[in-house]
C-alpha cells in the first residue's frame, strides 16, 4: 500500500487522522482518483480548511467527504445541493463543495441540480459519473449508455442517457467542465478553475466502476476502463472541428461553459441592504 | 417598529403571529415552498427576514426546503420552514435526517384536509400521528400546537427554544382555522422574552468529540468555527463517522430517544380548565378548543336556566331533590408529542370515581383518541367526537355529546 509514498504526500495532509480506515472504495475505483484531484486543487489554491465545507448525497462517490478533514456533511440521496444551498446562504463566507454521483445528481436529485444551476449560488459541484448506481450494486442510471448492461437492464439499457454537462449549461450554470479520472492533471486544473468561479460551477468527472459496471460491460479490468477513457476523450477545441459521426460515443472534455452571471448570495446581500434601509430596527 | 422594551398591541392572523414569533426567537433563515394554508408565513418572512439581516429562499420543493433549513442551521442560523399536508409528507426524509444528526430546526405544519391534495383550503387535524411517526426508524420528536393567535406566537418561540435546547427538529402543528383566524393580541416586549441559544463547544478542536455519548444532548459546533467534524445521516460513532458496531449503534439510537423521553417534565404541558372533580372531561387541541369552549359555555347556560327553574320549584315544593350544576372539565393539549401521558394519567386517576366520561373532540378519525385510550387503560368511559368534513368542529355537536352524558 502507498508504495513509494511518504505520509507527507499532499493528499495525506488533508485526510482525517482519526478516521477508521480503510475506506469503502473498491480496488480500481475511479472515485479515489477524483477525490485526490480535488484535494490537490484545494492544496494548490491554499484554501483554509476551517472554512471549507464539503457536502455530499448518498452513493459510493458521496462517501468521499467522510475521509477528508474539512467541515463535512453526508446527507440524503440526491439532496446534497439543497443542504449546500442552505449552508452557503446562511454563511456566504464558507467555501462550499458538493460531491455527488451520476444517479445522485441527475436522477433523484435532478430537480435540485437544474435549479442550483439556474439559481447560480456559489457552490462547486463535482459529479462523479461512473454511468451506474455503484453503491446499490449496478442498476442503470440516467447516464448509462444505450445498450449498456446493468443489474436492472439485463437485456441492455434502452433509455437514452443524459449529458450532465449539457444539462448544466442549459440550466444556466456559470462554469461547466468535464474531465476524466485518466486525465488527472487536466482534471485538477478544471477543478481549480471551478473553485475560483464566483457562481455555480459544475465539473463532471468521468470515473470508472469496474465492480458494478465494467465487469458487466466487457471491460477486462479497471485499467482497461482507464484506457478507454484515454482513447475516447476529445478536447472541446478538437471536438468542435469533428463531423458528428466521429463524435458518437466519445467524451467531450475541457471547459464547456464559462459565464459571468449574477451570483445569488451577493444579490441577496443587496436585498438586505435595501431592506435594512427601511424603517425596521437593525439588530 | 416599537423598541425592545415596549409591548405590542396588534390585530394578527395566526400565520403572521407565527412569523413574528420566529423573528423574535432569533430565526434568521427560512426555506420553503408555497402551499395553502401556510403561505402567509413565507410571504411575511420574505419581507421581514432581510430587514434583520436574515435570509429567505424559495426552494424548488419541500424536501429541498427542509434540507436547506438543516444546512443553514448547521452553518449557525436558527431556521424555519412552513408547509401543509402534501409538503409535510415530502419533508419526512429530511425530518428524519434532522433527528439523527441532531440539528435544530422548526417546521410549521398548518394542517389541511387529506390524504393527498385533499382539501387545500379547509381545516383538519389528520397529521397528528404523522407528525410523530411520519419518518422511518425509531426516533423521538417534539410537537407543539396552538389554539389561538397568541399561542401561535408564543409556541413558535417555544419551538425554537426546544429545538436549540434538545438539538432536534420541532414541529408546530397548526390547523387552517388557527392559522387564518385574526385576533387582537398583545405581544410581550422583546426584552421580556426567554430565548435559548445553542451551546457551543469550549474544548480545543483537537479534543473535540462531537457526539460524546456521555452527554445526553451533544454540543455541536457550527460549520466554520474551527471544529472540523463529520455530520451524517448514517448511524455514527462519537466522532460522527459511519459505524456498524452494535454497541455504537445502540448508544446512539437509545440516546436520541432518551434525550427527549427523559425530559418530558420540561417539555410537556397541557392546560387543565375546571378539572377538579369534573363530571365530564372534554379533551381537544388546536382550533377544536374554541368549539369545545363554546359547547361548554352552552352547557353552563343551560345549567343556569335549569338552576333558576329548580330554585323556583323548591320554593313551592321544598322536598324536591337537591341539584347541582354539572362540572365540565376541559383539557387543552399544548404539547402533542411527547404525548402528555403523566398529566393525563394523574387527571384520570384523580377523578376515576366521579367522572362519568371523557369526550375527545378532534378533526380526525380518532388520532388523539387512541392516545387517550392508551393512557386511560379502561379507567373511565371514553367517547369521541370525530368530525372530518373540512369545517371547524361544530360546538353544537360537542354540546350534544356532553349533555348526553349528563341526562
Ligand atoms: C431515497 C433513497 N432511495 C434510494 C437509495 C438507495 N441508493 C443508495 S446509493 C444509490 C445510487 C447511487 O448511485 P450514484 O449516485 O450514481 O453513485 P455511485 O454509488 O455510483 O458513486 C441508491 C439508489 C437511498 N439511499 N435513498
Ligand atoms: S462499487 Fe463501483 S463506484 Fe462503488 S466503490 Fe466499487 S468501484 Fe467504486
Amino acid at each position: 500500500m502507498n508504495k513509494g509514498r511518504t505520509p507527507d504526500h499532499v493528499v495525506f495532509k488533508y485526510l482525517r487522522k482519526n478516521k477508521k480506515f480503510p475506506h469503502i472504495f473498491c480496488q480500481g475505483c475511479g472515485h479515489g482518483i477524483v477525490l485526490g484531484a480535488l484535494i490537490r486543487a484545494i492544496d494548490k489554491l491554499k484554501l483554509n480548511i476551517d472554512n471549507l465545507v464539503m457536502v455530499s448525497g448518498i452513493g459510493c462517490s458521496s462517501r468521499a467527504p467522510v475521509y477528508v478533514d474539512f467541515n463535512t456533511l453526508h446527507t440524503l440521496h440526491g439532496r446534497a445541493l439543497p443542504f449546500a444551498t442552505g449552508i452557503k446562504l446562511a454563511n456566504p463566507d464558507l467555501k462550499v463543495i458538493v460531491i455527488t454521483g451520476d444517479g445522485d445528481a441527475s436522477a433523484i436529485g435532478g430537480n435540485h441540480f437544474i435549479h442550483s444551476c439556474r439559481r447560480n449560488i456559489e457552490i462547486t459541484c463535482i459529479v462523479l459519473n461512473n454511468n451506474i448506481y455503484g453503491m446499490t450494486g449496478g442498476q442503470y442510471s440516467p447516464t448509462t449508455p444505450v445498450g449498456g448492461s446493468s443489474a436492472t437492464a439485463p437485456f441492455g439499457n434502452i433509455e437514452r442517457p443524459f449529458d450532465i454537462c449539457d444539462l448544466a449549461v442549459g440550466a444556466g450554470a456559470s462554469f461547466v467542465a468535464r474531465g476524466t479520472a485518466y486525465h488527472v492533471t487536466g482534471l485538477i486544473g478544471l477543478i481549480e478553475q471551478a473553485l475560483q468561479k464566483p457562481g455555480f460551477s459544475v465539473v463532471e468527472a468521468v470515473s470508472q466502476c469496474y465492480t458494478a459496471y465494467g465487469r458487466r460491460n466487457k471491460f477486462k479490468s479497471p485499467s482497461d476502463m482507464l484506457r478507454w477513457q484515454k482513447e475516447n476523450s476529445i478536447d472541446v477545441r478538437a471536438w468542435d472541428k469533428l463531423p458528428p459521426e466521429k463524435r458518437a460515443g466519445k467524451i467531450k472534455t475541457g471547459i464547456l461553459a464559462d459565464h459571468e452571471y449574477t451570483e445569488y448570495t451577493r444579490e441577496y446581500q443587496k436585498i438586505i441592504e435595501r431592506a435594512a434601509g427601511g424603517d425596521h430596527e437593525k439588530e | 417598529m416599537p423598541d425592545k422594551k415596549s409591548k405590542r398591541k396588534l390585530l394578527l392572523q395566526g400565520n403572521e403571529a407565527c412569523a413574528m414569533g420566529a423573528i423574535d426567537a432569533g430565526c434568521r433563515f427560512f426555506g420553503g415552498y408555497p402551499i395553502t394554508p401556510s403561505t402567509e408565513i413565507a410571504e411575511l418572512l420574505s419581507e421581514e427576514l432581510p430587514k434583520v439581516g436574515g435570509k429567505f429562499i424559495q426552494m424548488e420543493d419541500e424536501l429541498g426546503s427542509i434540507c436547506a433549513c438543516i444546512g443553514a442551521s448547521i452553518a449557525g442560523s436558527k431556521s424555519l420552514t412552513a408547509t401543509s399536508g402534501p409538503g409535510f409528507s415530502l419533508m419526512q426524509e429530511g425530518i428524519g435526517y434532522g433527528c439523527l444528526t441532531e440539528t435544530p430546526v422548526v417546521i410549521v405544519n398548518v394542517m389541511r384536509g387529506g390524504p393527498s391534495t385533499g382539501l387545500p383550503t379547509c381545516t383538519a387535524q389528520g397529521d397528528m400521528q404523522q407528525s410523530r411517526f411520519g419518518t422511518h426508524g425509531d426516533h423521538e420528536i417534539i410537537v407543539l400546537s396552538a389554539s389561538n393567535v397568541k399561542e401561535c406566537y408564543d409556541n413558535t418561540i417555544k419551538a425554537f427554544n426546544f429545538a436549540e435546547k434538545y438539538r432536534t427538529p420541532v414541529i408546530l402543528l397548526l390547523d387552517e382555522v388557527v392559522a387564518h383566524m385574526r385576533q387582537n393580541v398583545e405581544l410581550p416586549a422583546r426584552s421580556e422574552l426567554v430565548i435559548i441559544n445553542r451551546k457551543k463547544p469550549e474544548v480545543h478542536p483537537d479534543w473535540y468529540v462531537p457526539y460524546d455519548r456521555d452527554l445526553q444532548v451533544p454540543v455541536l459546533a457550527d460549520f466554520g468555527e474551527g471544529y472540523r467534524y463529520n455530520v451524517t445521516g448514517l448511524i455514527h460513532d462519537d466522532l460522527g463517522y459511519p459505524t456498524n458496531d452494535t454497541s455504537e449503534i445502540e448508544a446512539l439510537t437509545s440516546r436520541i430517544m432518551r434525550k427527549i423521553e427523559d425530559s418530558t417534565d420540561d417539555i410537556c404541558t397541557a392546560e387543565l380548565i375546571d378539572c377538579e372533580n369534573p363530571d365530564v372531561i372534554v379533551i381537544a387541541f388546536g382550533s377544536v378548543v374554541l368549539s369545545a369552549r363554546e359547547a361548554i359555555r352552552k352547557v353552563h347556560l343551560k345549567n343556569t336556566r335549569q338552576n333558576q327553574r329548580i330554585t323556583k320549584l323548591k320554593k313551592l315544593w321544598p322536598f324536591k331533590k337537591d341539584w347541582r350544576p354539572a362540572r365540565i372539565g376541559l383539557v387543552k393539549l399544548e404539547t402533542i408529542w411527547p404525548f402528555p401521558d403523566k398529566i393525563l394519567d394523574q387527571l384520570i386517576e384523580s377523578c376515576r370515581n366521579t367522572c362519568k366520561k371523557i369526550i375527545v373532540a378532534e378533526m380526525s378519525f380518532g388520532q388523539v383518541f387512541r392516545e387517550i385510550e392508551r393512557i386511560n387503560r379502561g379507567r373511565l368511559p371514553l367517547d369521541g367526537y370525530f368530525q372530518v368534513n373540512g369545517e371547524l368542529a361544530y360546538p353544537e355537536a360537542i354540546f350534544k355529546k356532553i349533555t348526553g352524558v349528563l341526562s
Side-chain angles (χ1 to χ4, degrees):
Chain A
M1 199 188 147
N2 303 318
K3 247 183 245 158
R5 306 246 157 132
T6 52
D8 60 307
H9 186 271
V10 56
V11 169
F12 286 92
K13 243 172 57 190
Y14 294 89
L15 295 183
R16 284 200 153 115
K17 318 264 177 309
N18 53 8
K19 171 72 193 95
K20 292 175 249 174
F21 278 92
H23 53 70
I24 66 150
F25 300 140
C26 306
Q27 287 190 346
C29 177
H31 291 352
I33 302 175
V34 180
L35 178 60
L38 171 62
I39 290 174
R40 287 177 175 90
I42 288 168
D43 186 67
K44 280 192 171 177
L45 294 172
K46 306 249 166 322
L47 297 179
N48 173 8
I49 57 172
D50 279 337
N51 223 28
L52 200 59
V53 177
M54 202 191 261
V55 187
S56 68
I58 295 290
C60 297
S61 33
S62 291
R63 278 298 183 101
V66 179
Y67 307 116
V68 289
D69 191 14
F70 310 138
N71 302 281
T72 54
L73 186 64
H74 177 236
T75 69
L76 300 171
H77 194 26
R79 319 293 165 192
L81 283 166
F83 280 98
T85 301
I87 292 173
K88 183 68 185 177
L89 185 54
N91 183 358
D93 293 338
L94 296 172
K95 183 86 202 146
V96 183
I97 301 170
V98 165
I99 299 284
T100 169
D102 45 302
D104 201 59
S106 70
I108 192 164
N111 201 34
H112 302 307
F113 184 72
I114 56 172
H115 287 284
S116 301
C117 294
R118 174 187 65 82
R119 197 175 278 127
N120 199 37
I121 188 163
E122 190 186 312
I123 291 170
T124 297
C125 177
I126 317 256
V127 186
L128 281 72
N129 184 3
N130 55 13
N131 308 101
I132 200 80
Y133 287 169
M135 177 151 271
T136 41
Q139 300 77 21
Y140 68 88
S141 89
T143 63
T144 303
V146 173
S149 171
S150 86
T152 46
F155 305 106
N157 180 32
I158 55 169
E159 292 188 20
R160 287 190 305 158
F162 261 143
D163 180 317
I164 289 177
C165 287
D166 280 357
L167 196 62
V169 173
S174 282
F175 181 90
V176 182
R178 184 187 284 120
T180 76
Y182 176 81
H183 303 90
V184 72
T185 16
L187 186 61
I188 296 169
L190 294 175
I191 296 175
E192 224 183 301
Q193 289 187 62
L195 287 171
Q196 288 168 282
K197 190 76 200 173
F200 191 73
S201 54
V202 178
V203 177
E204 180 189 338
V206 176
S207 177
Q208 75 279 3
C209 169
Y210 181 69
T211 311
Y213 185 77
R215 278 191 304 182
R216 267 200 196 87
N217 288 280
K218 303 202 180 83
F219 287 102
K220 294 193 194 72
S221 63
S223 51
D224 196 24
M225 297 181 83
L226 281 167
R227 192 170 307 113
W228 182 87
Q229 290 174 17
K230 177 186 173 191
E231 287 163 5
N232 289 280
S233 298
I234 300 173
D235 187 82
V236 59
R237 284 158 295 189
W239 179 278
D240 291 340
K241 293 178 195 127
L242 285 182
E245 61 280 8
K246 292 215 168 157
R247 295 175 182 173
K250 306 283 181 194
I251 314 166
K252 177 163 68 167
T253 57
I255 297 171
L256 308 176
D258 191 358
H259 303 287
E260 304 303 322
Y261 296 138
T262 51
E263 194 271 334
Y264 190 90
T265 59
R266 292 167 181 84
E267 288 302 301
Y268 201 91
Q269 196 52 41
K270 290 183 200 160
I271 290 186
I272 290 179
E273 278 150 28
R274 275 219 309 272
D279 59 348
H280 203 279
E281 166 197 17
K282 286 186 207 168
E283 304 210 351
Chain B
M1 254 291 152
D3 61 41
K4 284 191 171 203
K5 289 201 183 109
S6 52
K7 292 196 183 351
R8 294 156 287 171
K9 279 192 179 160
L10 299 158
L11 173 67
L12 286 181
Q13 192 193 43
N15 277 341
E16 290 166 354
C18 187
M20 293 187 69
I23 299 258
D24 289 352
C27 170
R28 290 298 176 267
F29 187 94
F30 181 95
Y33 190 82
I35 186 165
T36 308
S38 75
T39 314
E40 292 86 356
I41 298 173
E43 289 175 351
L44 190 59
L45 286 175
S46 70
E47 194 177 337
E48 295 303 316
L49 274 170
K51 291 181 186 168
V52 294
K55 315 286 169 68
F56 169 93
I57 189 167
Q58 186 170 303
M59 293 299 291
E60 47 274 14
D61 60 33
E62 287 85 351
L63 184 43
S65 303
I66 181 83
C67 294
C69 287
I70 292 173
S73 179
I74 290 173
S77 288
K78 288 188 183 178
S79 306
L80 174 75
T81 186
T83 188
S84 182
F88 191 56
S89 296
L90 271 180
M91 279 183 190
Q92 292 302 333
E93 196 189 2
I95 294 173
Y97 186 84
C99 291
L100 190 66
T101 58
E102 303 181 70
T103 310
V105 62
V106 177
I107 302 124
V108 179
N109 174 23
V110 184
M111 290 182 285
R112 65 188 221 180
S116 191
T117 309
L119 292 161
T121 58
C122 298
T123 196
Q125 293 182 319
D127 303 350
M128 185 265 178
Q129 294 284 345
Q130 190 202 4
S131 66
R132 168 72 180 77
F133 298 104
T135 191
H136 58 282
D138 282 323
H139 67 287
E140 272 288 351
I141 198 156
I142 300 173
V143 181
L144 308 177
S145 68
S147 67
N148 59 44
V149 174
K150 177 66 173 18
E151 284 174 14
C152 288
Y153 174 85
D154 291 342
N155 291 352
T156 303
I157 294 176
K158 211 169 163 185
F160 274 100
N161 283 347
F162 283 151
E164 296 293 330
K165 184 171 180 185
Y166 295 104
R167 293 209 62 112
T168 176
V170 176
I171 294 161
L172 179 61
L173 209 50
L174 305 180
D175 59 74
E176 188 274 337
V177 168
V178 168
H180 280 163
M181 149 173 107
R182 285 181 192 275
Q183 286 179 316
N184 278 312
V185 288
E186 186 176 290
L187 303 184
R190 291 209 190 86
S191 56
E192 280 168 23
L193 297 171
V194 179
I195 303 295
I196 298 178
N197 293 313
R198 68 187 68 166
K199 272 197 194 151
K200 295 292 181 63
E202 282 162 5
V203 292
H204 188 274
D206 286 350
W207 298 103
Y208 181 50
V209 180
Y211 299 92
D212 190 345
R213 73 178 81 175
D214 293 338
L215 301 175
Q216 238 186 4
V217 181
V219 181
L220 296 178
D222 299 335
F223 275 8
E225 288 185 326
Y227 294 83
R228 301 182 305 274
Y229 65 104
N230 185 53
V231 179
T232 176
L234 288 167
I235 300 288
H236 41 271
D237 61 16
D238 290 16
L239 292 174
Y241 302 132
T243 182
N244 277 332
D245 179 302
T246 49
S247 70
E248 287 174 343
I249 297 169
E250 212 177 295
L252 176 64
T253 51
S254 58
R255 185 175 60 70
I256 62 163
M257 296 293 285
R258 273 199 327 269
K259 73 172 177 182
I260 292 174
E261 277 171 0
D262 292 355
S263 302
T264 48
D265 286 348
D266 179 42
I267 298 166
C268 292
T269 57
E271 197 184 342
L272 307 184
I273 304 156
D274 297 334
C275 281
E276 291 89 40
N277 299 317
D279 297 302
V280 179
I281 297 173
V282 180
I283 301 180
F285 82 100
S287 62
V288 181
V289 172
L290 303 171
S291 311
R293 278 184 192 269
E294 177 59 15
I296 293 169
R297 195 186 63 85
K298 279 193 179 148
V299 176
H300 288 321
L301 206 68
K302 192 179 165 207
N303 277 341
T304 320
R305 288 206 198 102
Q306 176 92 339
N307 205 7
Q308 284 164 352
R309 232 185 359 258
I310 290 182
T311 328
K312 256 191 222 157
L313 270 176
K314 270 197 142 181
K315 278 188 196 144
L316 302 174
W317 190 25
F319 303 107
K320 175 136 183 69
K321 234 173 44 192
D322 261 356
W323 184 85
R324 75 164 171 78
R327 281 185 289 254
I328 321 292
L330 173 62
V331 178
K332 181 177 87 186
L333 300 174
E334 291 166 344
T335 314
I336 304 299
W337 299 106
F339 204 75
D341 286 29
K342 199 163 145 190
I343 297 170
L344 287 159
D345 182 67
Q346 282 169 357
L347 172 64
I348 292 170
E349 197 54 38
S350 75
C351 62
R352 62 184 296 182
N353 299 321
T354 51
C355 183
K356 296 198 181 80
K357 199 167 245 177
I358 294 180
I359 298 165
V360 182
E362 55 181 319
M363 296 183 295
S364 81
F365 290 114
Q367 297 196 15
V368 172
F369 186 84
R370 57 160 61 211
E371 297 308 312
I372 304 296
E373 215 172 11
R374 173 177 62 77
I375 296 164
N376 184 44
R377 298 193 311 276
R379 283 175 287 181
L380 286 175
L382 293 184
D383 193 6
Y385 175 65
F386 308 142
Q387 183 184 318
V388 186
N389 65 354
E391 291 200 343
L392 175 60
Y394 304 137
E396 192 59 30
I398 300 173
F399 170 81
K400 277 193 190 137
K401 283 267 177 196
I402 301 172
T403 47
V405 179
L406 298 176
S407 59

